[in-house]
Amino acid sequence: MRRLARDLPMIREALYAQLGTSREHTRENHTFGITTLTKRHATVDGRAIEFAVRGKSNTERHRVVVDRPLATLVQALRRTPGTRLFRYLNDGVWHNLTQRDVNDYVR
């Protein structure tokens, strides 16, 4: 989880996106923050990650982040169970990374 929390600010900056949105907001508006991204929002090609996301105000955002370690991490996360992209394993159970998790890490 620490690696995820550490790298999210870089992804957030690249996408000009909110850190997170509520499940209800995501469901009602079909918009996503960083912690609510699903695996279909990110594709990995070598050391590049392409994000295609509908963000705040229904603005489509297509960005490429070039970072080999992050690309390796995202590729591994795409293979985890579930639909959310950013997840972590704790005591043998997969959890979705939440805005609260990131805020707690930053503090």
Side-chain angles (χ1 to χ4, degrees):
M1 181 175 73
R2 289 175 193 243
R3 170 75 201 259
L4 286 176
R6 186 188 74 217
D7 289 338
L8 285 182
M10 179 178 65
I11 296 167
R12 180 181 179 196
E13 184 177 312
L15 294 175
Y16 310 109
Q18 300 181 104
L19 184 57
T21 57
S22 69
R23 272 185 262 175
E24 294 78 24
H25 183 81
T26 296
R27 197 175 13 252
E28 290 171 11
N29 299 296
H30 305 287
T31 61
F32 297 82
I34 299 300
T35 59
T36 55
L37 292 177
T38 65
K39 294 171 183 175
R40 68 182 170 87
H41 291 120
T43 56
V44 178
D45 183 16
R47 58 188 205 128
I49 311 147
E50 181 177 358
F51 292 97
V53 181
R54 178 172 292 159
K56 193 173 181 180
S57 301
N58 279 325
T59 304
E60 290 288 334
R61 303 184 191 283
H62 295 271
R63 300 286 188 267
V64 175
V65 176
V66 178
D67 181 293
R68 184 173 301 281
L70 184 58
T72 300
L73 175 65
V74 169
Q75 188 67 15
L77 289 169
R78 288 179 49 79
R79 291 190 291 267
T80 64
T83 59
R84 288 274 182 92
L85 179 60
F86 295 110
R87 311 190 74 211
Y88 63 94
L89 189 61
N90 185 20
D91 293 329
V93 178
W94 285 99
H95 301 273
N96 295 327
L97 188 70
T98 66
Q99 184 174 0
R100 176 175 283 157
D101 294 328
V102 175
N103 289 335
D104 288 347
Y105 174 78
V106 170
R107 288 184 196 140

